[in-house]
């Protein structure tokens, strides 16, 4: 529900002490989100942040909105129920690469394919931070950690490739330390009808410090980053042909190709296509069924005599 009261970033700061490791990239993301929220023009009581388990999942404590710190990997499922029951709310999911892609992988891909009206912020630091430095589903092969002292044998997930393969309608990537870019991507995600997945490269300076230094260092970032903008051309290699970036292309081939690219690394919106949101379709279907057959009777349903269950 829109608000007539002009809100400021301060209005979205809770009274809880922010507790992450000094220097953690989560601080920058929190500040960017709190700074962006007033742009939505939505009352705080109509905004909800749902998280799972992990460092990033402390987020709801620090937002002066409604929120839920849920169970490991289940934030997309809980947020799906909330978005379907209350389509008037702005529902955001905050998760990490371990929370979303390990125990929560199944919930994530089905939220994406259903196109529920959610905004999912996936903090990717390529490590398990809260549980003290084990390798995660996005850690590179050969990664030496406390749980892989001889090096990880797993091929890592690429979150954006996974999302596009799950038919996600909005897929983007940004970086914790680039406030302007992060805010612009949040703005586009918020405007999208359906599930928007935003991968945020986030530095864990305790257990995986410097994982994204090449993308952040002024001396290397221009060559290391491929900045995507709708309607502007890009090249996959210096001597390759120019391609005009089209986020609205219904064919996911170009977006998937970009999601596989490592050098340079694409940032920005890879894909943003229109298709009906699951919660809207579900509520329309329910309303149509009630209009056709009338409301059900719970007592009759439990007794097995309700018209919804007995036909003919």
């Amino acid at each position: 529900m829109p608000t007539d009261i002009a809100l400021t970033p301060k209005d979205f700061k809770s009274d809880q002490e922010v507790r992450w490791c000094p220097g953690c990239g989560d601080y920058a993301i929190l500040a960017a989100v709190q700074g962006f929220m007033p742009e939505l023009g939505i009352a705080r009581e109509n905004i909800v942040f749902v998280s799972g388990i992990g460092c990033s999942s402390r987020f709801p404590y620090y937002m002066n909105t409604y929120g839920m710190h849920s169970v490991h990997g289940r934030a997309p499922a809980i947020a799906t129920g909330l978005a379907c029951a209350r389509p008037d709310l702005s529902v955001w999911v905050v998760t990490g690469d371990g929370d979303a892609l390990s125990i929560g992988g199944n919930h994530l891909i089905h939220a994406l394919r259903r196109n529920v009206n959610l905004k999912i912020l996936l903090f990717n630091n390529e490590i398990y931070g809260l549980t003290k430095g084990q390798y995660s589903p996005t850690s590179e092969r050969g990664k030496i950690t406390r749980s892989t002292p001889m090096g990880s044998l797993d091929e890592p997930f690429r979150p954006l490739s996974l999302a596009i393969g799950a038919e996600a309608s909005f897929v983007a990537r940004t970086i914790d330390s680039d406030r302007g870019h992060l805010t612009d991507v949040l703005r586009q995600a918020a405007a999208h009808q359906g599930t928007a997945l935003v991968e945020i490269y986030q530095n864990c300076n305790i257990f995986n410090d410097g994982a994204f230094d090449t993308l952040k260092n002024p001396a290397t970032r221009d060559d290391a980053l491929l900045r995507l903008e709708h309607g502007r051309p890009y090249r996959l290699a210096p001597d390759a042909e120019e391609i005009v970036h089209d986020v609205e292309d219904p064919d996911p081939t170009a977006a998937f190709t970009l999601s596989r690219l490592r050098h340079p690394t694409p940032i920005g919106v890879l894909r943003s296509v229109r298709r009906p949101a699951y919660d809207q379709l579900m509520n329309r279907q329910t309303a149509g069924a009630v209009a056709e057959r009338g409301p059900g009777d719970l007592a009759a349903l439990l007794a097995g005599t309700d018209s919804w269950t007995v036909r003919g």
Side-chain angles (χ1 to χ4, degrees), residues 1 12 26 28 31 48 68 82 90 132 145 168 210 231 236 238 260 272 278 305:
M1 180 180 296
F12 288 92
D26 288 357
V48 185
M68 178 182 292
L82 183 60
S90 177
K132 306 301 183 284
T145 72
L236 295 177
R260 307 300 296 171
S272 179
Y278 179 85
T305 59

Side-chain angles (χ1 to χ4, degrees), residues 108-114 161-169 275:
L108 177 69
I109 62 174
H110 290 298
L112 293 170
R113 77 177 180 90
R114 287 177 177 135
S161 300
L162 184 73
I164 293 168
E167 304 297 333
S169 60
R275 61 186 179 91

Side-chain angles (χ1 to χ4, degrees), residues 258-303:
L258 288 168
S259 76
R260 307 300 296 171
L261 200 60
R262 300 289 287 183
H263 307 290
T265 298
I267 61 171
V269 178
L270 278 68
R271 189 171 198 239
S272 179
V273 295
R274 291 176 178 268
R275 61 186 179 91
Y278 179 85
D279 45 301
Q280 295 171 347
L281 293 175
M282 188 199 73
N283 288 319
R284 192 181 307 158
Q285 188 179 73
T286 301
V290 170
E292 178 185 351
R293 304 191 62 173
D297 183 287
L298 179 60
L301 177 66
L302 295 175

Side-chain angles (χ1 to χ4, degrees), residues 4-298:
D4 295 329
I5 302 173
L7 299 173
T8 68
K10 185 177 180 180
D11 292 314
F12 288 92
K13 297 179 181 180
S14 77
D15 60 358
Q16 299 298 300
E17 178 187 0
V18 181
R19 298 182 65 184
W20 286 307
C21 300
C24 176
D26 288 357
Y27 286 99
I29 301 172
L30 176 64
V33 171
Q34 290 171 334
F36 160 73
M37 281 288 124
E39 289 189 27
L40 294 178
I42 300 175
R44 289 173 296 175
E45 59 268 26
N46 290 98
I47 301 173
V48 185
F49 280 82
V50 182
S51 67
I53 297 296
C55 297
S56 62
S57 293
R58 298 184 61 83
F59 217 85
Y61 294 108
Y62 309 138
M63 295 296 300
N64 192 18
T65 63
Y66 278 108
M68 178 182 292
H69 190 176
S70 72
V71 291
H72 208 354
R74 273 66 178 184
I78 292 169
T80 293
L82 183 60
C84 290
R86 290 287 306 275
D88 58 310
L89 299 179
S90 177
V91 183
W92 296 71
V93 171
V94 177
T95 184
D97 50 298
D99 184 58
L101 299 171
S102 185
I103 192 170
N106 198 51
H107 295 292
L108 177 69
I109 62 174
H110 290 298
L112 293 170
R113 77 177 180 90
R114 287 177 177 135
N115 203 37
V116 186
N117 200 19
L118 307 173
K119 317 307 166 194
I120 303 174
L121 307 183
L122 195 162
F123 296 17
N124 184 6
N125 54 24
E126 299 184 347
I127 203 76
Y128 275 104
L130 185 67
T131 50
K132 306 301 183 284
Q134 298 88 349
Y135 83 113
S136 85
T138 57
S139 297
E140 69 273 18
R141 189 174 180 182
K143 183 73 172 179
I144 295 175
T145 72
R146 294 182 178 189
S147 57
T148 54
M150 298 178 67
S152 166
L153 302 176
D154 297 355
E155 283 295 327
F157 272 133
R158 299 190 186 182
L160 301 191
S161 300
L162 184 73
I164 293 168
E167 304 297 333
S169 60
F170 183 101
V171 178
R173 177 189 288 135
T174 185
I175 302 174
D176 57 2
S177 58
D178 191 334
R179 176 73 173 266
H181 190 271
L182 173 54
T183 302
D184 182 61
V185 169
L186 290 174
R187 190 177 291 123
Q188 295 182 68
H192 183 74
Q193 288 297 309
T195 305
L197 178 77
V198 179
E199 179 188 26
I200 306 174
Y201 280 159
Q202 176 260 331
N203 190 50
C204 176
N205 59 313
I206 303 300
F207 296 110
N208 202 25
D209 194 24
F212 306 112
D213 274 1
T214 304
L215 308 180
K216 298 181 179 186
N217 189 327
T220 57
R221 67 188 179 196
D222 288 345
D223 292 329
L225 289 175
L226 175 59
R227 295 182 178 272
L228 299 172
E229 289 185 37
H230 179 59
R232 295 193 63 179
Y234 65 89
R235 286 187 171 93
L236 295 177
D239 56 348
E241 291 185 19
E242 283 192 340
I243 302 170
V244 177
H245 186 45
D246 181 7
V247 300
E248 299 172 355
D249 187 353
D251 183 346
T253 303
F256 188 80
T257 300
L258 288 168
S259 76
R260 307 300 296 171
L261 200 60
R262 300 289 287 183
H263 307 290
T265 298
I267 61 171
V269 178
L270 278 68
R271 189 171 198 239
S272 179
V273 295
R274 291 176 178 268
R275 61 186 179 91
Y278 179 85
D279 45 301
Q280 295 171 347
L281 293 175
M282 188 199 73
N283 288 319
R284 192 181 307 158
Q285 188 179 73
T286 301
V290 170
E292 178 185 351
R293 304 191 62 173
D297 183 287
L298 179 60

